[in-house]
Amino acid sequence: MQCRYVSSALGRAYSFSDDSVNVPLPSTTTTFNSINLGDAISPKNIKAAARMFDIRRRQSTFYQDLYFNGRQPLPDAENVSWRRCATLMDWFETARSDLPPHLIPLYRLELLFTCILVLSQSKRAPEISKINQIVLFEYTVDFLVDFHTFLNSSAPCLSVTYIDFERVYTVSCILMVTLGNYHTEVLSKALPEHSTPAPSTNDTVETPLPPYIDRSKRLNCTARALEALGKTQSILEAAGRRWGVHSLLNEFRGRVGAATSILTYKYGESHTVSTLLQQQQQQQQQQGSNGVAGSGWLPGLRGPFTG
């Protein structure tokens, strides 16, 4: 699982196939299921751990199929993405019943990250529908804001690894690419009219519905996107303090200017938005003078995610 965890965060191909290490999950009916591990870092019961392995296995399958299983586009890519998102939502709702409350945010982050991989542009899904553009925007914003909340929550027993920060940078790249390519659609308050999806090419599979979009969140997408980018900077600064590694922060700063320009100058709606950008720019200048920020940006190895 470690190979999958790292590769999907960095946009890299796997070093071996899923079939070569197809190991069944442990039984969840064992008498060890209810063992209490106190404040241990790992989930408190076997069912909770099995749920995490389950979504990582699904994540592995979807990631391999979309990004590294050839270049032939899927004939019903939108239906496939909706069906996979529905499967992931079902996984989360089922997993909740096996989780202690403090683990639920961690598993929701895993859900959002996997859905983002499913909805992002790939070799097998080179075009993203308008509704998927909006859902992708919503999930990336939610992931970044939720991760910031999780990082600053009172759950010290839960570990946050360097790869989790790599995930944050990858998701921020997807958000910035989405803003750059589809800002008219994703920042609009209006949602595209729901039309009947094209029938699935598999007659035995029911045509899925698109992922749910909370209309109440669509009232001020500009400020929400700026908030997410601001929280991303805060997260990556924490990574620098924890490990002394500033490359992610430097790379983010090298990219974020184009996105904030779109948000503030073309779609800016309030003094609050302009003030937030000014504060971010001032912080960048101060930290740059302290030798933290670099003067340029070299794109990392992140495959399709950096645009």
Side-chain angles (χ1 to χ4, degrees):
M1 284 294 176
Q2 187 69 14
C3 170
R4 270 66 182 143
Y5 174 54
V6 174
S7 296
S8 61
L10 300 177
R12 294 175 177 172
Y14 295 147
S15 57
F16 50 87
S17 68
D18 288 347
D19 292 338
S20 65
V21 287
N22 191 11
V23 179
L25 294 175
S27 171
T28 57
T29 59
T30 175
T31 56
F32 294 102
N33 178 56
S34 60
I35 186 171
N36 191 336
L37 301 180
D39 288 331
I41 289 174
S42 57
K44 290 187 178 180
N45 56 59
I46 291 177
K47 279 189 176 181
R51 297 298 184 192
M52 181 60 76
F53 276 106
D54 184 28
I55 193 171
R56 290 280 175 85
R57 186 165 57 182
R58 295 172 189 268
Q59 184 184 109
S60 176
T61 300
F62 298 160
Y63 179 76
Q64 181 70 26
D65 178 53
L66 290 171
Y67 298 98
F68 299 102
N69 276 4
R71 297 178 176 272
Q72 186 65 31
L74 292 166
D76 53 351
E78 186 179 69
N79 283 344
V80 170
S81 68
W82 294 356
R83 190 175 299 112
R84 288 173 173 176
C85 284
T87 299
L88 294 168
M89 292 296 176
D90 290 342
W91 164 85
F92 181 68
E93 291 305 317
T94 303
R96 289 173 68 103
S97 62
D98 297 324
L99 300 175
H102 72 281
L103 281 181
I104 292 176
L106 179 67
Y107 281 59
R108 175 170 159 75
L109 286 170
E110 200 70 30
L111 164 72
L112 290 171
F113 184 74
T114 309
C115 286
I116 289 166
L117 294 180
V118 166
L119 292 165
S120 295
Q121 190 175 22
S122 66
K123 295 176 181 178
R124 302 273 279 158
E127 300 293 334
I128 308 178
S129 66
K130 287 185 178 181
I131 194 165
N132 277 11
Q133 294 165 13
I134 294 172
V135 176
L136 184 60
F137 169 85
E138 292 293 329
Y139 286 174
T140 53
V141 168
D142 283 351
F143 178 90
L144 296 170
V145 172
D146 288 359
F147 190 96
H148 184 271
T149 301
F150 175 74
L151 187 64
N152 292 280
S153 66
S154 56
C157 62
L158 298 178
S159 63
V160 177
T161 70
Y162 179 74
I163 298 301
D164 290 315
F165 289 95
E166 290 276 2
R167 280 185 168 192
V168 167
Y169 176 67
T170 291
V171 171
S172 73
C173 286
I174 295 173
L175 173 59
M176 290 185 283
V177 169
T178 301
L179 288 170
N181 294 340
Y182 313 115
H183 51 82
T184 300
E185 291 78 14
V186 302
L187 297 176
S188 172
K189 296 178 182 179
L191 293 176
E193 291 187 14
H194 174 60
S195 57
T196 303
S200 173
T201 56
N202 186 345
D203 294 336
T204 64
V205 179
E206 183 180 354
T207 301
L209 294 174
Y212 171 73
I213 299 174
D214 187 348
R215 291 179 179 270
S216 65
K217 290 184 176 181
R218 304 293 302 160
L219 298 179
N220 197 343
C221 298
T222 303
R224 289 177 57 231
L226 274 169
E227 178 191 16
L229 294 175
K231 289 183 182 300
T232 299
Q233 176 166 307
S234 175
I235 294 167
L236 298 181
E237 287 171 348
R241 291 192 298 270
R242 180 168 297 188
W243 287 286
V245 178
H246 303 286
S247 57
L248 295 178
L249 181 60
N250 292 345
E251 292 174 10
F252 174 76
R253 286 173 172 165
R255 302 197 60 148
V256 72
T260 51
S261 294
I262 292 173
L263 292 167
T264 55
Y265 299 117
K266 191 169 184 178
Y267 292 94
E269 297 177 358
S270 68
H271 174 72
T272 303
V273 170
S274 299
T275 301
L276 177 61
L277 177 65
Q278 291 172 0
Q279 291 173 348
Q280 291 176 354
Q281 290 174 334
Q282 289 172 358
Q283 291 173 359
Q284 291 174 11
Q285 291 170 357
Q286 291 172 357
Q287 292 169 353
S289 63
N290 292 330
V292 174
S295 59
W297 174 76
L298 294 176
L301 180 59
R302 240 156 261 271
F305 300 138
T306 54

